[in-house]
């Protein structure tokens, strides 16, 4: 079953991103900090992680991605970073599969994520 965990400390932006992605996943989970994200991820094991770089805590989105890489339960989760501060994925390929520059529109988000989204809406049978 396809699922996504979205991590963003800006609550309104988190809700907007979740609304745009909901049609593409059977389950969407959200967190506004890395600690909650890890707890949710360990419980639900999402197929995709989308995280902001700056999460308003001492831990960054890169720290969160590293925690996923180092966790045997989560290291197969595909990882995407959103950032207005990082301009290139160079040197980060082992941590993130895709970098989405901020700011972005909903259409730009979907276009950037298109290689990772299912070709058609999922058939979600519990």
């Amino acid at each position: 079953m396809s699922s996504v965990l979205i991590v963003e400390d800006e609550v309104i932006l988190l809700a907007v991103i979740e609304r745009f992605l909901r049609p593409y996943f059977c389950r969407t989970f959200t967190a506004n900090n890395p600690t909650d994200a890890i707890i949710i991820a360990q419980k639900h094991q999402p197929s995709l992680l989308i995280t902001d770089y700056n999460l308003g805590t001492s831990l960054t989105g890169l720290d969160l991605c590293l925690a996923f890489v180092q966790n045997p339960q989560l290291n197969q989760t595909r990882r995407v970073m959103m950032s207005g501060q990082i301009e290139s994925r160079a040197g980060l390929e082992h941590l993130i599969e895709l970098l989405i520059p901020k700011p972005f529109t909903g259409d730009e988000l979907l276009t950037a994520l298109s290689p990772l989204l299912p070709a058609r809406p999922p058939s979600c049978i519990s």
Side-chain angles (χ1 to χ4, degrees):
M1 199 178 313
S2 65
S3 61
V4 61
L5 170 57
I6 307 158
V7 187
E8 168 63 64
D9 63 319
E10 295 180 36
V11 178
I12 293 172
L13 183 55
L14 179 63
V16 169
I17 294 169
E18 193 271 339
R19 183 175 54 88
F20 271 97
L21 295 180
R22 191 178 311 135
Y24 296 93
F25 295 93
C26 292
R27 297 182 302 167
T28 58
F29 304 100
T30 60
N32 61 9
N33 65 72
T35 303
D36 289 349
I38 292 290
I39 292 167
I40 292 167
Q42 288 176 330
K43 182 176 182 180
H44 298 286
Q45 298 185 1
S47 52
L48 177 64
L49 168 69
I50 301 174
T51 183
D52 189 20
Y53 169 73
N54 184 351
L55 295 171
T57 69
S58 60
L59 297 176
T60 68
L62 287 176
D63 296 318
L64 180 59
C65 289
L66 180 60
F68 270 62
V69 168
Q70 293 175 339
N71 184 320
Q73 289 181 308
L74 302 175
N75 63 12
Q76 296 303 309
T77 302
R78 299 176 90 173
R79 297 169 303 278
V80 173
M81 173 94 40
M82 306 175 290
S83 179
Q85 299 167 327
I86 299 175
E87 296 179 6
S88 170
R89 217 172 56 92
L92 303 174
E93 294 89 353
H94 66 291
L95 291 178
I96 59 174
E97 188 169 337
L98 180 65
L99 175 66
I100 301 174
K102 287 170 96 178
F104 51 77
T105 66
D107 288 340
E108 290 169 337
L109 174 65
L110 293 176
T111 298
L113 287 172
S114 64
L116 304 179
L117 296 176
R120 57 187 176 150
S123 173
C124 302
I125 301 171
S126 301

